[in-house]
């Protein structure tokens, strides 16, 4: 800020001295007419000096310092294990769903093989139970036939009552045997489903051991390397979401209260002041706070301010993703009056 005022002051002095030394009345008339500034040129120079010196903006437009930030997303291991196949470095561009590494866990792989064996064993048990049911149904059919024929024979007194009672018991026993085999089949079916569920659980664990990027963006930090053993929940890398970039600024209550969510805004970055970047007001904090030291002067930090986000358009960011860098300082400019038109020097201007 002090540098801006110093540069502005030097410019003012230069213009004033130049105006005195090169006044048209002190030189040849023909040369003086060429040196005489037009009203339009005077207006543009005055406007430029006002911007440099930090003087008042047009009514209804407010500017303040801010910094570019982006949403950070951590890629972490859900289960413990040893890191292998890390395929990215800091600064690498990644896509949503892209595999960035893997956690090796021989224990879960062994559990998967055991669970798959249990499924096969349960299926074999099911096949044996089905065969047993068929066998007992055949026995039941024979016992039923003997029982029904015995009903006729005992009525004709061809067989004794004792023999008939034995046939009836055989028939009832065969029915119970069939029901028991069916119960075994149901148990075998439950065993199959339980074993398959265990296989699916372990496969889900192994699937989660593959690390993927949740967002499209850039790797900001690589926190672990190949061969390191990490605990459950251990962070492996941090990804910047390059489709969720914004500038954070701080405004006093009198200004923040006039902002419209979704209203137009402008951003001018210190490294490239020749460009004017469009943005929109996406967030205004509900509670006041002190501004951080990295943004405002000591005097301004004594005031309670409201945090405001100026969000850049996601479609615009797709075209300039390689140019996006967080931490860059600049100016955030907002309108407190929607009807106020943007001046010419704040019209959108993007790099080609």
């Amino acid at each position: 800020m002090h540098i801006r005022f110093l540069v502005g002051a030097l410019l003012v002095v230069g213009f004033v001295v130049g105006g005195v030394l090169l006044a048209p009345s002190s030189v040849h008339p023909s040369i003086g007419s060429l040196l005489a500034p037009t009203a339009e040129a005077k207006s543009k120079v005055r406007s430029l000096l006002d911007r440099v010196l930090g003087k008042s903006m047009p009514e209804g437009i407010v500017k303040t310092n801010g910094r570019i930030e982006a949403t950070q997303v951590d890629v972490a291991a859900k289960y413990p294990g040893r890191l292998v196949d890390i395929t990215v470095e800091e600064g690498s561009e990644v896509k949503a769903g892209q595999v960035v590494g893997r956690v090796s866990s021989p224990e879960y792989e062994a559990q998967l093989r055991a669970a798959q064996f249990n499924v096969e064993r349960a299926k074999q048990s099911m096949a044996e139970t089905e065969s047993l049911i068929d066998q007992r149904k055949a026995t039941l059919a024979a016992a039923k036939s003997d029982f029904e024929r015995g009903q006729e024979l005992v009525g004709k007194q061809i067989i004794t009552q004792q023999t008939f009672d034995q046939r009836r018991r055989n028939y009832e026993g065969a029915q119970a045997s069939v029901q028991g085999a069916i119960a075994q089949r149901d148990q075998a079916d439950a065993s199959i489903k339980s074993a398959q569920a265990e296989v699916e659980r372990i496969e889900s664990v192994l699937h989660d051991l593959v690390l993927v990027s949740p967002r499209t963006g850039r790797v900001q930090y690589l926190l672990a390397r190949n061969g390191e053993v990490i605990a459950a929940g251990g962070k492996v890398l941090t990804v910047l979401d390059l489709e969720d970039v914004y500038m954070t600024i701080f405004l006093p209550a009198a200004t923040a209260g006039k902002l419209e969510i979704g209203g137009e805004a402008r951003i001018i970055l210190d490294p490239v002041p020749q460009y004017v970047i469009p943005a929109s007001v996406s967030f205004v904090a509900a509670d006041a706070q002190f501004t951080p030291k990295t943004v405002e002067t000591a005097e301004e930090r004594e005031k309670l301010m409201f945090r405001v986000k100026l969000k850049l358009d996601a479609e615009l960011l797709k075209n300039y993703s390689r140019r996006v860098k967080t931490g860059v300082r600049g100016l955030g400019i907002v309108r407190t009056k929607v009807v106020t038109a943007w001046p010419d020097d704040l019209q959108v201007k993007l790099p080609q």
Side-chain angles (χ1 to χ4, degrees):
M1 187 68 73
H2 294 297
I3 295 176
R4 285 185 180 173
F5 278 107
L6 179 60
V7 173
L10 292 175
L11 288 173
V12 171
V13 172
F15 276 105
V16 172
V17 173
V20 173
L21 294 178
L22 298 178
S25 58
S26 62
V27 296
H28 191 276
S30 60
I31 299 177
S33 62
L34 294 175
L35 295 176
T38 63
E40 182 180 0
K42 288 181 178 179
S43 175
K44 290 184 177 180
V45 170
R46 188 177 297 108
S47 175
L48 175 62
L49 291 177
D50 288 342
R51 298 284 189 272
V52 172
L53 293 173
K55 294 184 178 179
S56 62
M57 299 286 289
E59 184 179 358
I61 297 180
V62 178
K63 70 173 181 178
T64 186
N65 297 327
R67 55 175 287 170
I68 293 295
E69 299 179 32
T71 298
Q72 295 187 2
V73 182
D74 292 325
V75 177
K78 189 175 180 180
Y79 301 96
R82 188 179 301 275
L83 279 178
V84 294
D85 301 334
I86 298 297
T87 59
V88 295
E89 294 289 342
E90 292 181 349
S92 299
E93 302 286 337
V94 294
K95 300 291 184 182
Q98 177 181 333
V99 176
V100 296
R102 184 170 62 86
V103 177
S104 175
S105 181
E107 295 87 353
Y108 284 114
E109 294 172 1
Q111 290 180 22
L112 177 61
R113 290 192 294 271
Q116 290 172 336
F117 174 76
N118 290 336
V119 170
E120 294 302 321
R121 185 169 59 182
K123 288 182 177 179
Q124 183 178 358
S125 177
M126 169 67 80
E128 293 174 355
T129 304
E130 292 286 359
S131 177
L132 180 61
I133 290 174
D134 293 339
Q135 179 183 351
R136 291 185 177 179
K137 282 184 176 180
T139 302
L140 174 62
K144 182 180 179 181
S145 177
D146 287 345
F147 172 71
E148 291 175 347
R149 186 167 57 254
Q151 285 179 321
E152 297 177 2
L153 296 177
V154 75
K156 297 178 181 179
Q157 296 183 348
I158 297 176
I159 62 175
T160 64
Q161 183 66 37
Q162 182 180 1
T163 303
F164 173 72
D165 291 341
Q166 181 62 42
R167 291 187 179 186
R168 181 175 60 196
R169 286 193 294 270
N170 291 341
Y171 174 52
E172 292 173 350
Q175 287 180 318
S177 296
V178 171
Q179 294 300 319
I182 292 175
Q184 290 181 22
R185 181 182 63 184
D186 293 341
Q187 184 176 1
D189 183 59
S191 297
I192 291 174
K193 291 180 179 178
S194 177
Q196 287 176 335
E198 180 65 9
V199 169
E200 292 173 359
R201 184 190 71 81
I202 299 174
E203 286 178 342
S204 175
V205 171
L206 293 175
H207 179 268
D208 287 336
L209 292 178
V210 178
L211 305 176
V212 298
S213 173
R215 305 281 185 92
T216 296
R218 181 186 303 127
V219 177
Q220 182 77 348
Y221 304 111
L222 189 59
L223 306 175
R225 304 284 177 172
N226 280 332
E228 294 185 23
V229 176
I230 57 174
K235 296 179 182 179
V236 178
L237 53 89
T238 300
V239 176
L240 286 178
D241 186 352
L242 297 183
E243 295 181 0
D244 188 11
V245 181
Y246 54 89
M247 172 177 274
T248 299
I249 62 175
F250 293 85
L251 295 172
T255 301
K258 297 177 182 179
L259 297 181
E260 178 181 336
I261 299 297
E264 291 185 8
R266 297 288 188 266
I267 294 175
I268 300 177
L269 302 178
D270 290 346
V272 283
Q274 68 272 28
Y275 299 126
V276 180
I277 305 169
S280 61
V281 179
S282 63
F283 170 80
V284 178
D287 299 320
Q289 55 192 273
F290 287 100
T291 55
K293 296 180 180 179
T294 57
V295 176
E296 303 294 346
T297 64
E299 180 181 357
E300 290 171 324
R301 286 196 301 274
E302 296 175 358
K303 304 175 184 178
L304 285 174
M305 310 286 277
F306 285 81
R307 184 165 62 96
V308 178
K309 284 185 180 181
L310 306 182
K311 185 177 176 63
L312 281 71
D313 182 66
E315 293 299 323
L316 177 66
L317 290 169
K318 290 180 180 179
N319 299 326
Y320 298 96
S321 61
R322 292 185 175 273
R323 293 175 177 261
V324 176
K325 298 176 183 65
T326 57
V328 177
R329 269 65 172 178
L331 291 177
I333 306 168
V334 296
R335 294 191 303 185
T336 56
K337 295 182 179 180
V338 181
V339 295
T340 302
W342 293 105
D344 292 340
D345 57 343
L346 291 181
Q347 294 298 323
V348 174
K349 183 178 180 182
L350 300 173
Q352 301 298 321

